[in-house]
Structure formats: structure tokens, C-alpha cells
Amino acid sequence: MVRFTRSDDLRGATFEGVDLRGARFVEPDLSGVVVRGAQVEGLDVDAPWLSDGDAPVLVNGVDVRGFVEAELDRRFPGRELRRAADPDGLRVAWAALESTWAATLERVAALPAIAVDVSVDGEWSFAQTVRHLVLATDVWLGRAVLGVERPFHPLGQPGPQAAEDGLDLSLFAVGTPSFAEVLEARAGRVAMVRDFLVGVTPESLGVVRRNPWSPEYPETTLSCVHVILEEEWEHHRFAVRDLAVVEASLAG
């Protein structure tokens, strides 16, 4: 099977009549890609940043961004609050997230213990997804907003580009920790965000912060909180998507 990686530059390439059935694209840059006369039965596209930027995403000439966002908000009540811009709104948004995750964890608790460590199609397991949210909180609240130089819990789950972003991977545990340990770390970080939002003010939301990944692009406290909210909702979506597959496999 042919494999293309980041070192392969396919910008501007033309593919005519090629058979891409079953192909898998992981973290590709498809901005500006034009597809014509395609057969797309069973096509599965996951684009967390679908609505970012001004350029439309066209399917048969229709910009689908608004339709997708509205459907996701319908499927995940509370998601529509993720861009709240004032302290009260952010507190309500976080409470909605906590409620959503609590329901999902109850669903997971009803499954065999092994379920949390099952990977679907090479994606993170449920436990790894929860661990990544620990890291997201450490990066965007602990480091960016609170200014802690090394706020990282060792059970945080770095992303595939973490080393390239300058994150010291030696700070993180290797192996597979118990899910009880993961939940303890997660509970601490959830409480940290909740406690921070209790005391946040309109003035503090506007304070400029250092972007932890790209210092040349400063953030505000509000934009850092928005990143946390986006991470939470997107990874919850990934988690329940794969959880449904795991549940089906266990039932079968």
C-alpha cells in the first residue's frame, strides 16, 4: 500500500480517475482542494475546524458549514454555549460540559473495564482522550492564563505534534495508567477550570496572554477559555463516536 507522509509535498497535484476507495487521510491540509465528479458513497470527513476562517466549504455548490454546526449543536445540547463571552455565560457553558461528561462517564461505567482502553481505527482510546483533556487544561489554563511554567500532570496525553511544538515529552508517564488514576487527574483539572471561572471578571477576560504554542500570536484570557471549551466539545464528540463502536463490538 502506498503511504504518503508529511515529507511528501503533493501541493498542486492533479489526480485524474484515480481509485481512492478505502484511502485514509490523517491530519491533511485540504484547504483549497477542488474535487469534481466524485463518487462519495460512505465518505467520512472529520474537520474540527470546519467553521474557522471565511472560506466556504462547498458540497455541490452549497456551503455546508452552517448545516453541520447546527446539527452538532442539536446532537450535543450545551455545545452552542462554547463561545460565551461573559463570566456568567462561561460559567453556564462549563456547567453544561460537566453535565455532559458526567452522563458519558456513567455510560462508560456500565461497560467492561477494558472498554476504556480500546482504540478504534487507530484513534485515541476513551482513556487517552480524557488524558488529553487534562493536558489541554494544563496548557491553556495552567500555562497560558495562570502563568505556571510547568503545570503538566504526568498523566496528560500529548498530541502527535507535541514534540514539534516544543513540549518536553519526558514530563509525561509512559504505559497505560489505571482508569481510576485518569479520572482522578481529570476531576482535578475540571475543578480547576470551575474554580477559575467562579472568580473571572469581564476585565480579566480581556487580559492579553502568551500563546503557549505560538508566542507570536497573543491570546486573551477569553480566547484561551474558548480553546478549552472547543477541545472539550470536540473530544467529547470523538469519544462518543468511538464509544458507540466499542459498545457494538462488545455486544456482538
Side-chain angles (χ1 to χ4, degrees):
M1 179 182 295
V2 178
R3 182 181 180 87
F4 299 102
T5 64
R6 295 180 187 276
S7 61
D8 295 298
D9 188 352
L10 299 176
R11 286 176 293 181
T14 298
F15 302 89
E16 293 187 7
V18 294
D19 188 344
L20 295 176
R21 286 176 293 181
R24 187 175 183 86
F25 300 84
V26 180
E27 297 185 353
D29 184 347
L30 298 177
S31 54
V33 168
V34 176
V35 180
R36 294 287 184 263
Q39 296 292 326
V40 295
E41 294 85 354
L43 176 67
D44 184 352
V45 177
D46 197 297
W49 304 280
L50 184 68
S51 294
D52 291 357
D54 298 324
V57 178
L58 303 176
V59 176
N60 291 347
V62 178
D63 187 352
V64 300
R65 294 176 299 169
F67 296 102
V68 174
E69 287 298 300
E71 176 60 17
L72 289 177
D73 287 346
R74 185 190 68 80
R75 293 186 183 187
F76 301 103
R79 180 181 182 272
E80 73 281 359
L81 304 172
R82 70 195 185 283
R83 295 195 178 97
D86 60 85
D88 286 340
L90 291 171
R91 287 188 278 268
V92 173
W94 189 253
L97 258 172
E98 287 200 53
S99 177
T100 295
W101 272 107
T104 301
L105 289 174
E106 287 183 7
R107 177 179 170 187
V108 169
L111 296 173
I114 193 176
V116 298
D117 293 317
V118 175
S119 170
V120 176
D121 289 336
E123 302 287 348
W124 280 335
S125 68
F126 187 89
Q128 288 174 312
T129 297
V130 174
R131 291 172 60 190
H132 180 70
L133 292 175
V134 170
L135 176 61
T137 303
D138 287 343
V139 170
W140 289 99
L141 181 57
R143 176 181 271 188
V145 176
L146 302 180
V148 180
E149 184 59 30
R150 288 196 170 186
F152 307 112
H153 193 290
L155 293 189
Q157 176 74 46
Q161 297 303 304
E164 293 181 18
D165 290 332
L167 193 61
D168 182 0
L169 299 185
S170 69
L171 298 172
F172 303 96
V174 296
T176 304
S178 72
F179 193 50
E181 293 174 309
V182 173
L183 290 180
E184 182 180 5
R186 167 66 170 165
R189 292 318 191 252
V190 169
M192 186 167 74
V193 177
R194 185 195 315 126
D195 292 345
F196 172 76
L197 292 177
V198 166
V200 79
T201 64
E203 292 74 23
S204 63
L205 288 175
V207 174
V208 176
R209 308 292 184 179
R210 184 177 183 270
N211 187 309
W213 300 133
S214 304
E216 67 274 20
Y217 300 110
E219 305 283 348
T220 63
T221 300
L222 177 60
S223 63
C224 290
V225 174
H226 280 170
V227 172
I228 295 172
L229 290 168
E230 289 282 357
E231 288 275 331
E232 290 280 344
W233 280 113
E234 287 302 314
H235 285 285
H236 179 267
R237 180 170 63 84
F238 301 153
V240 296
R241 175 198 64 193
D242 293 347
L243 189 58
V245 177
V246 173
E247 287 173 326
S249 66
L250 292 173

